[in-house]
Amino acid sequence: KAGVTQTPRYLIKTRGQQVTLSCSPISGHRSVSWYQQTPGQGLQFLFEYFSETQRNKGNFPGRFSGRQFSNSRSEMNVSTLELGDSALYLCASSQDSNSLYNEQFFGPGTRLTVL
Amino acid sequence: GNSVTQMEGPVTLSEEAFLTINCTYTATGYPSLFWYVQYPGEGLQLLLKATKADDKGSNKGFEATYRKETTSFHLEKGSVQVSDSAVYFCALSDQGGNTPLVFGKGTRLSVIA
């Protein structure tokens, strides 16, 4: 089974621009979560989508948004980029079964640099 | 809110040395606890997990025991290898199966031959 894929792997943008990142989950996985990783703040949860609906949301400004398509693929968008948005953005997918815990499988991430 | 505190790195060890990375947590209820590993240029991989008190998670020679009395989940390995060099993250999620992961800041481990 193919793993979680994220595109693009690297991105350079300038302040004020917007960016869209894409994530394709493992086949059969219906939940997709996004995390931001920075040296200062570490790994922080952005949001989670399930069945095309946002189910959980972290503490990020409204410039950060996302969506999920009917095939479970997900995109996240950041508008009006700031220097502080430079980070590794990780996507994770899970099956969303009825078990106590659904393991999240992470993609390799998209490295965003804002100049 | 929930939080995870793990020892700051970097940690540098010689091959075959004993490894301990401390992790403590703050959470309401009974969270599930995890250790993830991140190799250079890659995403996170689940190393091991424990979902209830006194459970021991183990994988690839690494172990961690869920200690509710001390709210800890320390990672140990008896004999590290150069290939274990990576960043290790302790994390928790509330019970419920689909709650977000809360991560510690990560500990960079370098193993020297």
Side-chain angles (χ1 to χ4, degrees):
Chain A
K1 228 184 219 183
V4 177
T5 58
Q6 293 187 244
T7 56
R9 291 292 310 276
Y10 302 91
L11 208 47
I12 299 175
K13 293 286 188 180
T14 56
R15 280 179 297 175
Q17 288 187 307
Q18 74 165 20
V19 67
T20 299
L21 312 181
S22 180
C23 171
S24 292
I26 292 172
S27 177
H29 285 193
R30 300 189 297 167
S31 168
V32 173
S33 297
W34 289 89
Y35 294 84
Q36 181 196 63
Q37 184 177 17
T38 59
Q41 298 299 316
L43 277 152
Q44 294 183 287
F45 171 73
L46 280 155
F47 27 64
E48 184 222 355
Y49 286 86
F50 174 74
S51 289
E52 302 178 62
T53 301
Q54 188 179 89
R55 185 161 64 177
N56 283 301
K57 187 178 188 304
N59 189 25
F60 277 81
R63 300 185 297 107
F64 292 82
S65 63
R67 60 178 175 168
Q68 185 180 36
F69 302 94
S70 57
N71 62 357
S72 294
R73 188 177 72 85
S74 176
E75 290 180 346
M76 67 163 281
N77 184 275
V78 187
S79 62
T80 320
L81 284 166
E82 300 177 0
L83 295 179
D85 298 332
S86 295
L88 181 67
Y89 290 88
L90 293 165
C91 166
S93 75
S94 67
Q95 276 187 314
D96 196 66
S97 66
N98 289 326
S99 64
L100 181 64
Y101 172 72
N102 293 285
E103 180 178 345
Q104 296 191 29
F105 293 82
F106 283 81
T110 294
R111 171 77 61 187
L112 171 65
T113 301
V114 182
L115 302 177
Chain B
N2 296 342
S3 66
V4 174
T5 302
Q6 64 181 103
M7 60 188 285
E8 299 280 335
V11 173
T12 302
L13 295 173
S14 298
E15 209 165 23
E16 299 183 5
F18 184 84
L19 168 71
T20 300
I21 301 178
N22 290 336
C23 170
T24 57
Y25 67 90
T26 301
T28 53
Y30 302 92
S32 294
L33 301 174
F34 312 91
W35 277 99
Y36 280 84
V37 60
Q38 186 175 34
Y39 297 102
E42 298 184 13
L44 300 176
Q45 298 176 28
L46 178 64
L47 182 59
L48 53 84
K49 70 177 186 288
T51 57
K52 61 182 187 295
D54 300 325
D55 265 3
K56 177 187 278 189
S58 61
N59 186 27
K60 299 180 182 179
F62 291 89
E63 292 183 339
T65 300
Y66 189 143
R67 300 285 188 202
K68 189 166 180 5
E69 63 277 13
T70 54
T71 61
S72 65
F73 193 55
H74 304 322
L75 181 68
E76 296 182 337
K77 186 175 185 183
S79 176
V80 293
Q81 305 300 311
V82 172
S83 58
D84 294 327
S85 298
V87 181
Y88 293 82
F89 293 90
C90 185
L92 68 79
S93 74
D94 280 335
Q95 268 194 351
N98 295 300
T99 52
L101 289 163
V102 175
F103 288 92
K105 290 291 178 96
T107 301
R108 182 176 299 278
L109 170 66
S110 296
V111 180
I112 301 168

